[in-house]
Amino acid sequence: MPIIVNCMIISQIYFEHYWGSYKSNRLANFVLTAIITVTYFFQEFCLLQLSWINIGEAAFMQVVSITMIFRNRSNWLWWWLLILTPLFTNIVEVMMGLQTWNTWWIWLGEALTFGVLCTILTHGDASTLHIRYVLAIIILGVIKLVTLKIENQLTLVKVLAPTVGLLVILCSEGQRYRSEIKNNLRIKQLQTKIERDDLTGLLNYRALSEKIKELTENDAIHDIVIGGLDIDHFKRINDTYGHFVGNKVLNYFSTVLRREIHQAFPNHGYVYRFGGEEFSIVVSNHSILEVYTLLQSIEDYFAKKPIVTKEGIKITISFSCSLTNRLNGETLEHTLKRADKMLYSVKKDGRGWIITDQQYKSMNK
C-alpha cells in the first residue's frame, strides 16, 4: 500500500503540472480541477478498500493531500480536499456498514484538528519545509492512534501496519523530493546557460523573447520601451588592438550598461546581447523620455571614462542607439525590425547619438 500511495502522489504531481500550464484558460482550468478532484477521491476510495481488507481499518488517508499542500500551500483545492477527506472516508464507511453515524464528531474533529496543524506547519519557518512535512505525516499517524483509542479499536496490527507504512512513504517521498530538487537545479542551470551570453553574462535573444511575452501578458505593465544599441566602430577596435582588447571593451560596455539600467529602472530594466557589438534593452512602466535621458548620461560616462588596457592604451567608446515603444498587438520581430531600421539611420548620419520614434518620424516627414 505505501508503494501505491507514492504512485498516487506522483500522478497528482503530474496533474498539477498540467493544471499550472492552463491557469489562464478558464475552461481547461475547470476541467483539470474536476479531473484532479475525481481522481483524488477515487484514489482515497481505493486506499480505503485496500486498508480495510488488509488490516480492518482505514489507513494512509490524507497522505496525498498533505504531500500536495506542502508542495504548493497556495493551491486552495488541496486544502479543501485535505479537510473533506476524513468526512468522505467516514461517510463511505457508514455506507459500507463499517461505522455508524454516532461517531460524526470524531470525523469532524479529525478534519478540523489536522487542518489547523497543517496550516501552522506550512506557514512556519522554524525548520525546512521537508522537516515540517515529516512532522505533518507523524502527526497524522498520532491522530489516527488517538482515534483508535477513542473507538476502543487499538490493536497491535492496526498500530504497526499504518506506522510502518507511513515510515516507508516518508523514506520514498524523501528520496523523490531530493531527486526533484537536484533535477530542478540542473534544469535551472541549463536554462541559465541557454539564456545567457557566454562572454558578457547578459541575457540573449531567447531570453528577450520570453521577457516580452511575460510583459505583454501582465496587466500591470503599461509601457514597453525597446532599444537597439551598437558600439561605434567596434570593428576598428578589433582590427587595431586585437580580439582580446575587443572582448574587454564588450565586457566594460555591458557592465556599465547593465549597472546603470538596473539602478535606474529596478525590476523594470533588462539588458541583452545579440552577438558582436549588438545589444538591446527593454524597459517597462517608464517613458521613452526617461530611457533617453539615462542613455544620454551613459554616453557622457563613456566619453569621460575611457577603457584602459594593460599596456596603458586608452580607448574611448561611444554607442549609437534607437528607442521605440512597442505597440499593442505587435510581434517582437516587428518591433526589433523598426528599431534596427532607426539604428541604421543613426549610423548613416554620424553615429554616437540616440534617436527616438518621434525624432525618426520628424526626420522622415
Side-chain angles (χ1 to χ4, degrees):
M1 282 191 290
I3 296 173
I4 294 172
V5 173
N6 284 119
C7 291
M8 291 174 176
I9 291 171
I10 292 170
S11 69
Q12 291 293 2
I13 289 172
Y14 278 107
F15 276 133
E16 191 170 58
H17 281 318
Y18 283 118
W19 194 23
S21 302
Y22 291 96
K23 278 290 185 182
S24 58
N25 187 320
R26 287 188 178 181
L27 179 60
N29 186 41
F30 175 80
V31 171
L32 285 167
T33 301
I35 290 172
I36 289 172
T37 304
V38 171
T39 303
Y40 173 78
F41 281 120
F42 178 74
Q43 290 173 340
E44 294 298 296
F45 179 76
C46 290
L47 276 178
L48 178 62
Q49 292 277 50
L50 287 170
S51 57
W52 267 103
I53 290 172
N54 286 278
I55 61 174
E57 181 63 41
F60 311 113
M61 314 303 291
Q62 290 181 289
V63 172
V64 175
S65 56
I66 294 168
T67 304
M68 298 306 294
I69 280 174
F70 276 86
R71 284 180 58 85
N72 182 10
R73 70 183 185 189
S74 62
N75 191 332
W76 57 268
L77 176 62
W78 289 111
W79 285 102
W80 278 109
L81 294 179
L82 175 72
I83 294 169
L84 291 174
T85 299
L87 304 178
F88 169 80
T89 302
N90 287 279
I91 288 171
V92 172
E93 288 177 338
V94 169
M95 293 176 67
M96 293 172 65
L98 303 172
Q99 295 284 357
T100 64
W101 290 109
N102 296 332
T103 56
W104 65 268
W105 59 276
I106 297 177
W107 315 346
L108 187 60
E110 283 182 5
L112 295 177
T113 302
F114 202 66
V116 170
L117 288 172
C118 279
T119 301
I120 295 170
L121 287 171
T122 53
H123 289 78
D125 55 5
S127 57
T128 66
L129 188 65
H130 186 65
I131 290 175
R132 283 180 273 141
Y133 166 72
V134 171
L135 285 174
I137 296 296
I138 292 172
I139 291 170
L140 177 65
V142 171
I143 289 175
K144 190 61 187 175
L145 291 177
V146 172
T147 303
L148 288 173
K149 179 66 176 176
I150 292 172
E151 295 176 342
N152 293 318
Q153 296 181 21
L154 200 62
T155 65
L156 185 62
V157 173
K158 289 184 179 181
V159 170
L160 285 180
T163 302
V164 173
L166 286 175
L167 288 174
V168 172
I169 291 170
L170 281 175
C171 290
S172 55
E173 180 58 22
Q175 183 59 43
R176 190 203 60 75
Y177 176 79
R178 286 188 289 273
S179 297
E180 185 178 48
I181 293 296
K182 288 180 181 178
N183 289 336
N184 288 340
L185 181 60
R186 290 193 192 102
I187 291 169
K188 190 174 181 179
Q189 289 171 340
L190 286 171
Q191 188 175 14
T192 299
K193 190 173 181 180
I194 290 171
E195 294 184 346
R196 293 280 175 181
D197 172 58
D198 291 334
L199 177 63
T200 63
L202 293 178
L203 297 164
N204 57 23
Y205 180 81
R206 178 190 178 96
L208 172 61
S209 181
E210 290 296 319
K211 176 52 66 177
I212 292 297
K213 181 181 178 184
E214 178 189 325
L215 292 175
T216 54
E217 291 175 352
N218 187 345
D219 294 335
I221 301 299
H222 52 74
D223 280 302
I224 301 175
V225 178
I226 295 181
L229 297 86
D230 264 15
I231 299 175
D232 295 330
H233 306 294
F234 182 72
K235 186 178 184 303
R236 186 188 301 170
I237 294 173
N238 263 339
D239 293 343
T240 305
Y241 304 106
H243 290 286
F244 181 78
V245 173
N247 287 345
K248 193 169 183 179
V249 169
L250 286 170
N251 273 313
Y252 176 58
F253 179 79
S254 62
T255 299
V256 173
L257 183 64
R258 175 170 48 191
R259 183 189 69 212
E260 296 300 315
I261 291 290
H262 287 180
Q263 284 181 357
F265 311 114
N267 302 318
H268 289 285
Y270 310 91
V271 183
Y272 305 84
R273 184 190 176 208
F274 287 175
E277 70 275 27
E278 298 177 7
F279 295 81
S280 182
I281 62 170
V282 174
V283 178
S284 59
N285 285 13
H286 289 273
S287 70
I288 199 167
L289 180 60
E290 289 177 276
V291 182
Y292 177 86
T293 303
L294 176 69
L295 290 174
Q296 286 282 23
S297 69
I298 296 174
E299 282 275 27
D300 294 339
Y301 179 92
F302 285 128
K304 294 175 183 176
K305 294 192 177 182
I307 184 170
V308 182
T309 67
K310 289 182 179 179
E311 295 77 18
I313 302 169
K314 292 184 178 180
I315 304 172
T316 301
I317 61 176
S318 64
F319 63 90
S320 302
C321 176
S322 62
L323 291 174
T324 183
N325 280 305
R326 183 187 176 277
L327 305 177
N328 289 334
E330 186 177 48
T331 64
L332 174 60
E333 184 180 1
H334 195 125
T335 311
L336 291 176
K337 280 183 177 179
R338 184 171 62 256
D340 193 55
K341 187 177 179 181
M342 291 164 58
L343 184 58
Y344 178 77
S345 71
V346 173
K347 291 179 177 180
K348 189 174 68 173
D349 291 336
R351 303 175 189 259
W353 58 290
I354 304 162
I355 191 170
T356 64
D357 280 326
Q358 189 175 1
Q359 291 169 337
Y360 184 74
K361 288 175 184 177
S362 298
M363 290 168 54
N364 291 275
K365 279 185 177 179

